[in-house]
Amino acid sequence: MNRRLVVFMGAFGIAQAFAQTSPHGAIRMACEACHTTESWRMRPDASFSHASTGFDLQGAHKAVECARCHQGVRFAGTLKTCQSCHTDVHKGELGSNCARCHSFQAWRITDMTQRHQQTRFPLLAKHASADCAQCHTKSAGTQYAGTPTTCIGCHRMDYEQTKNPAHRSAGFSTVCDQCHRVNAAVWGTGFDHTLTAFPLAGAHKATQCSQCHKNAVFKSTPAECVSCHLTEYQQSSNPNHTAAKFSQACATCHTPVAWTGGKFDHNQTTFLLTGAHVLQGCKGCHGDNVFAGKSMECYSCHQSNFSAVANPNHAAGNFSHLCQSCHTTTVWKPSTFSHSSTAFPLMGAHTAVACNQCHASNQYAGLSKNCVDCHRTDYTGTTNPNHAVGGFPTLCEQCHSTTAWKPATFDHNSTKFQLTGAHTSQSCAACHTNSNYALVYQNCAQCHLSNFQNTVNPKHTASSAFTQQCESCHSTAGWSPASFTAHSQTNFALTGAHTSVSCITCHTNNNYQLSYTDCY
């Protein structure tokens, strides 16, 4: 037989025998698809596609030797679950879906924080860097599924050992996150006092818990300031709180910033502070430690000012104690009194007169309002006209004004003899000789008799025809020129050239008692 044929038949027989006893199990693949003819080792260019089995190799699976997963180099029937190759250290507590936390790149989880966010307990702050075993301890037979999500589940020891304040003896709640925060640098910090009925403000924020919570008593701790600040209340001397029987509602004047430097809002009382009162220390008014029921009358504090005033003298003048009538809270002096509030409003020169000029001997109440009572000297000293000799009335305001005593004006038209013409510029004494103002008007000759007697053209005294009814020819504008307009009332009315003829042409020898006969 041909030697080659014998060799071929021998090799064929071996292949048949191997196919019947393949260590890989019942697989329908030719050996040379993976193995070389030189040796049993895998071919570098093996054309086997693991994806065709329904389990595509990804990540680290690509570099794993076949025998790691295919025990006994058997391929058929190999399980595709993670647990078939990877021991479940969680013992089924977390389910069979390993891909929830693990990846094909590596079994070890590198970003546990991110993975943990998918659970009921996201990792925050220090929890993110904590070792898993610190929280996942075996409890009641479970290690992961039974891990508590409450703070006290892990921090029971912290709760028990905390002494400042002692949580157990104080009966603190085991809901730790009411006071503690996961992002706190230290376990004992981070209590939010605003969650209570007493939010911390000012200096309270830096105060140790034990300063307010004596003997580790936290529940029902009083929120009134005096419960902690009674000593400060009793030791305050400016003002003395105890002696003054101040209210113990400290917040009325004090703030949480500091006990000293307290400010009381006086405007909350019925006595608002204004002017100089704003800068006045409490002792200025409350030196006697009397605060409640303190008098609000100015005089109660300003009696010394009232007694010391000399211009005008308040005490001697029996002034009212209503200081605000003249004074303001700005300063005691200068002061202003509104005379307009009295029955004698000040006008003219009166507004600049010192009080004691009118209110001599400090007489203010019942003082006369008549001008002459203050101006008697002016009245008696006036000589043009002489008021006293002339018997002038003392109603000064008839001629004088409050602007000044002089000049004065008398309205002659208020009498029975109205001034007209030259009379308006005539001095009073020209008519009222010897200061006689009680004149009774009769006729012009009372004043103008000398004019009547001295007139020569025509001569009034030469004929009885001339009467002393001066106004028949004269006017108040002047004694001369005069005009006689009553010739028409005689038996010889003037006409023609007669109207321009002088009186003496016809009335020779001052004869004015002519009887008309004829022209001749």
Side-chain angles (χ1 to χ4, degrees), residues 86-407:
H86 300 282
T87 302
D88 183 8
V89 297
H90 310 311
K91 302 187 184 303
E93 292 181 41
L94 304 181
S96 60
N97 186 10
C98 303
R100 286 172 54 198
C101 302
H102 302 277
S103 69
F104 295 112
Q105 304 302 324
W107 183 255
R108 185 174 180 81
I109 300 174
T110 57
D111 188 5
M112 192 61 214
T113 302
Q114 184 64 31
R115 299 289 183 179
H116 220 287
Q117 310 306 79
Q118 302 172 10
T119 70
R120 292 178 301 149
F121 192 86
L123 298 181
L124 302 173
K126 285 194 172 183
H127 286 163
S129 60
D131 188 82
C132 303
Q134 284 186 262
C135 298
H136 296 286
T137 58
K138 288 186 177 181
S139 175
T142 60
Q143 186 174 2
Y144 293 93
T147 301
T149 56
T150 60
C151 304
I152 195 68
C154 284
H155 293 282
R156 172 68 67 178
M157 188 63 68
D158 298 293
Y159 177 91
E160 299 286 349
Q161 293 179 350
T162 300
K163 302 300 180 186
N164 184 25
H167 288 27
R168 172 172 285 281
S169 61
F172 274 23
S173 168
T174 56
V175 182
C176 308
D177 53 4
Q178 286 184 347
C179 304
H180 302 277
R181 295 187 177 88
V182 295
N183 59 351
V186 182
W187 172 256
T189 59
F191 173 62
D192 188 0
H193 220 284
T194 58
L195 299 174
T196 70
F198 191 87
L200 297 184
H204 287 163
K205 292 181 179 179
T207 302
Q208 290 293 322
C209 306
S210 57
Q211 285 188 251
C212 297
H213 300 284
K214 306 292 184 183
N215 302 318
V217 175
F218 292 85
K219 291 184 178 179
S220 302
T221 300
E224 292 76 19
C225 306
V226 74
S227 63
C228 283
H229 294 282
L230 181 59
T231 302
E232 286 91 344
Y233 176 93
Q234 294 171 338
Q235 293 179 349
S236 293
S237 58
N238 183 25
N240 190 312
H241 290 26
T242 306
K245 297 180 181 180
F246 272 22
S247 164
Q248 292 185 347
C250 310
T252 305
C253 304
H254 301 275
T255 68
V257 176
W259 178 262
T260 56
K263 292 183 178 179
F264 173 67
D265 186 2
H266 219 285
N267 291 338
Q268 294 179 356
T269 70
T270 54
F271 189 86
L272 305 182
L273 296 185
T274 58
H277 287 165
V278 176
L279 304 176
Q280 187 68 255
C282 303
K283 285 185 176 180
C285 297
H286 301 282
D288 52 1
N289 278 315
V290 175
F291 291 84
K294 188 77 173 178
S295 172
M296 293 184 291
E297 299 300 327
C298 306
Y299 184 77
S300 62
C301 280
H302 293 281
Q303 184 175 355
S304 59
N305 302 98
F306 180 92
S307 302
V309 175
N311 184 24
N313 191 312
H314 289 27
N318 196 26
F319 273 28
S320 165
H321 291 169
L322 296 177
C323 309
Q324 62 270 27
S325 300
C326 304
H327 302 274
T328 67
T329 58
T330 304
V331 69
W332 183 259
K333 293 180 181 180
S335 62
T336 56
F337 172 67
S338 178
H339 223 283
S340 299
S341 62
T342 70
F344 191 85
L346 298 184
M347 295 181 291
H350 286 165
T351 59
V353 174
C355 303
N356 55 12
Q357 282 191 250
C358 295
H359 299 281
S361 303
N362 285 303
Q363 182 184 356
Y364 291 85
L367 194 65
S368 171
K369 298 187 291 291
N370 296 326
C371 304
V372 74
D373 290 326
C374 277
H375 293 280
R376 177 71 63 180
T377 303
D378 300 290
Y379 178 90
T380 56
T382 300
T383 58
N384 184 25
N386 192 310
H387 289 26
V389 175
F392 276 29
T394 55
L395 297 177
C396 310
E397 62 271 19
Q398 289 183 344
C399 303
H400 302 274
S401 70
T402 57
T403 304
W405 183 259
K406 295 179 181 180

Side-chain angles (χ1 to χ4, degrees), residues 13-50:
I14 294 173
Q16 282 186 321
F18 181 78
Q20 294 174 356
T21 61
S22 172
H24 303 317
I27 62 173
R28 297 182 179 277
M29 292 181 63
C31 301
E32 60 269 22
C34 298
H35 300 280
T36 65
T37 57
E38 284 79 13
S39 68
W40 194 246
R41 297 179 64 83
M42 292 288 293
R43 290 174 50 184
D45 60 344
S47 60
F48 174 66
S49 173
H50 212 287

